[in-house]
Each structure stands twice: as structure tokens, then as C-alpha cells.
């Protein structure tokens, strides 16, 4: 079991790295026009949050079954935050297939 001092040291180290990362993000954002800097920082913060939240997992697992409409919406929501271009392409393809399935089911009725 870790002692309080060990935990304090770990937290201090983490805060130091977060501070360095924050400074790097701010510095990187300065390469963009003023009106785009805030969006850059928010986007970077969102990606960092997802990375930590998912601890490097490639997929996010949904706790409940989705309707066809919810699945299409999920694919569209993932596109702006896709971690790779491959992930974005896969969600685009999946969205298109789901839309096609939805149209097929509607026309069949």
C-alpha cells in the first residue's frame, strides 16, 4: 500500500507534467490566428480528456443498445473527434451503411 507521501509525490509529478503540457499547448496555439486559438486549445483539451478517460482504448463502448437513428447520430458525433483519419473513414462508411439500411427499412414498409 502506498503511503501518503508516495501519493503526494505522484500527484505533484502529474501536476508538473500537466503544467508543462499546458504551456506547450498555449505555445502551439499561438501559431494560429487569435480567433482560432481558443478552438485549438479546447480541441486539444478534449483529445487529452478522451485519451485519459479511455486510457488508450481504441473504441468507446456504449452501455445500452442503440436504435438505428441513435447509431447514425453516434457516427456523426464521432467524426469531429476521431482520433485518426482511419477512424473517421470507418465511421463515415458505417454511417452511410446505416442510412442505407434505414432507407431500405422505410421503403420496405
Amino acid at each position: 500500500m502506498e503511503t501518503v507521501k508516495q501519493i503526494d509525490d505522484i500527484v505533484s509529478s502529474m501536476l508538473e507534467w500537466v503544467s508543462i503540457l499546458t504551456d506547450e499547448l498555449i505555445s502551439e496555439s499561438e501559431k494560429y490566428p487569435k480567433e482560432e486559438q481558443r478552438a485549438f486549445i479546447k480541441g486539444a483539451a478534449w483529445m487529452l480528456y478522451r485519451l485519459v478517460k479511455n486510457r488508450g482504448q481504441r473504441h468507446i463502448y456504449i452501455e445500452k443498445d442503440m436504435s438505428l437513428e441513435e447509431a447514425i447520430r453516434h457516427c456523426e458525433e464521432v467524426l469531429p473527434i476521431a482520433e485518426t483519419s482511419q477512424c473517421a473513414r470507418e465511421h463515415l462508411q458505417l454511417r452511410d451503411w446505416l442510412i442505407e439500411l434505414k432507407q431500405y427499412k422505410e421503403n420496405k414498409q
Side-chain angles (χ1 to χ4, degrees):
M1 178 171 262
E2 296 186 34
T3 67
V4 172
K5 168 115 176 67
Q6 289 171 317
I7 293 171
D8 283 346
D9 290 345
I10 291 169
V11 170
S12 292
S13 176
M14 289 170 45
L15 290 174
E16 183 179 340
W17 283 107
V18 168
S19 177
I20 291 168
L21 182 57
T22 302
D23 290 344
E24 289 291 321
L25 286 174
I26 290 169
S27 177
E28 187 69 22
S29 76
E30 291 170 350
K31 296 176 182 177
Y32 294 89
K34 283 283 185 203
E35 59 276 1
E36 294 178 20
Q37 287 178 4
R38 183 178 175 96
F40 173 84
I41 291 173
K42 284 174 72 174
W46 173 249
M47 293 305 293
L48 288 170
Y49 163 76
R50 285 185 37 98
L51 179 64
V52 171
K53 178 180 179 284
N54 297 313
R55 293 178 295 287
Q57 293 176 9
R58 184 159 183 256
H59 296 91
I60 297 172
Y61 296 97
I62 307 299
E63 297 290 327
K64 67 178 188 88
D65 292 338
M66 286 190 265
S67 69
L68 195 51
E69 200 57 49
E70 288 172 323
I72 293 168
R73 197 167 41 250
H74 168 75
C75 289
E76 291 171 346
E77 289 169 355
V78 167
L79 291 175
I81 57 172
E83 294 164 0
T84 64
S85 59
Q86 179 64 32
C87 180
R89 282 192 300 274
E90 289 169 359
H91 278 83
L92 273 172
Q93 180 66 66
L94 179 57
R95 182 203 62 188
D96 291 347
W97 286 336
L98 292 170
I99 290 170
E100 187 177 332
L101 174 62
K102 181 182 173 202
Q103 290 169 347
Y104 171 78
K105 288 176 85 173
E106 289 172 351
N107 291 336
K108 190 175 179 185
Q109 293 174 351

